[in-house]
Amino acid sequence: MNNLCSHGNAKLCDGFVEGHRVECPFHQALFDVRDGTVSCGPATEPVKSWPVKIENGRVFLNLVS
């Protein structure tokens, strides 16, 4: 998923991760790391995410979609 919160210009890598959710360090919006959807506001727009698959212990990202 994209590293920038859709609500403000905050880096999500500076937030907290618990389970499948990452918390924005500025306004505490929560995003699902699996697909970028908003779990809790104030954000209303999802963050960009990319499909991932694991084959034979290797991680593949589909950066075209």
Side-chain angles (χ1 to χ4, degrees), residues 2-52:
N2 194 358
N3 189 31
L4 288 179
C5 176
S6 61
H7 177 256
N9 197 20
K11 292 182 180 180
L12 295 176
C13 67
D14 293 333
F16 294 100
V17 175
E18 186 173 325
H20 296 289
R21 301 190 308 178
V22 60
E23 181 182 59
C24 172
F26 284 1
H27 302 107
Q28 290 71 50
L30 295 173
F31 298 93
D32 191 311
V33 298
R34 297 171 290 185
D35 61 8
T37 56
V38 178
S39 300
C40 181
T44 58
E45 297 293 321
V47 293
K48 174 74 175 146
S49 65
W50 293 269
V52 176

